[in-house]
Amino acid sequence: MKKAAIILTTMVALFCVQIGTAFAETVLDKTVNEQIGVKYKSAGATPSGFDCSGFTMYIFNKIGIELPHQSKSQATKGSWVDKKDLRPGDLVFFNTDGKGISHVGIYLGDDEFIHSATDDGVVKNKLSEKYYKNRYVTARRVIEDDLFNQLTAEAEAK
């Protein structure tokens, strides 16, 4: 009986943690999902067309965070995050041109990120895909804990 109670308590705790994680992603998912399929546009920063940094700049502006319109410049904002510690909303950076940071996306959780790709426009991909895995450079956290917790709480209230 004691063992069953411990197992039940553990399952409830894990379920609550999973719900919290899902809610943390909900606010971000809602904002970015509205942009899936928007075409790529060089120097674009509006829903009529995005380049990679214009996309991240637009999304973060929606939650009150100003970012510059250049992936290399965005890579200097916020704080460094180890790849194993990524959470939804972290910026992920890639070297796609062989000259350093040249691409940026937004981590969504579960190895997935969203970005504006030259050929495809705004799409979701996995960090573990060979192309992105080989070109990953770093990540930055620009949503500080207080704002992240606020966004999570707002999602839970809905």
Side-chain angles (χ1 to χ4, degrees):
M1 185 67 168
K2 220 178 198 184
K3 210 174 202 178
I6 291 171
I7 291 171
L8 181 61
T9 303
T10 303
M11 288 175 63
V12 168
L14 287 173
F15 181 72
C16 290
V17 167
Q18 289 300 318
I19 287 175
T21 301
F23 281 137
E25 296 171 354
T26 301
V27 172
L28 182 61
D29 282 343
K30 181 179 181 234
T31 307
V32 298
N33 283 337
E34 293 171 354
Q35 305 309 319
I36 290 178
V38 171
K39 292 183 180 181
Y40 179 88
K41 182 179 179 184
S42 181
T46 70
S48 64
F50 293 110
D51 66 9
C52 65
S53 61
F55 173 68
T56 54
M57 183 176 77
Y58 176 84
I59 296 298
F60 280 88
N61 184 269
K62 292 285 189 187
I63 58 171
I65 297 173
E66 289 186 32
L67 292 175
H69 190 176
Q70 216 176 32
S71 55
K72 286 180 185 174
S73 297
Q74 289 182 8
T76 67
K77 302 300 178 191
S79 56
W80 176 82
V81 181
D82 192 290
K83 193 174 186 179
K84 67 180 176 48
D85 296 324
L86 288 170
R87 73 177 182 199
D90 288 341
L91 293 173
V92 287
F93 296 91
F94 306 88
N95 177 351
T96 57
D97 66 4
K99 300 176 185 174
I101 291 172
S102 55
H103 190 66
V104 61
I106 303 168
Y107 187 70
L108 299 174
D110 296 324
D111 191 45
E112 193 170 52
F113 72 104
I114 189 165
H115 60 120
S116 184
T118 306
D119 294 335
D120 304 316
V122 178
V123 293
K124 293 179 181 179
N125 287 96
K126 297 282 190 178
L127 288 174
S128 57
E129 290 175 31
K130 185 177 180 179
Y131 180 85
Y132 295 105
K133 183 179 181 180
N134 291 341
R135 289 164 177 79
Y136 179 88
V137 176
T138 192
R140 305 292 289 187
R141 179 160 296 154
V142 295
I143 302 176
E144 296 301 325
D145 291 342
D146 289 345
L147 178 57
F148 184 81
N149 292 335
Q150 178 187 345
L151 294 171
T152 303
E154 287 173 5
E156 284 180 7
K158 291 182 180 181

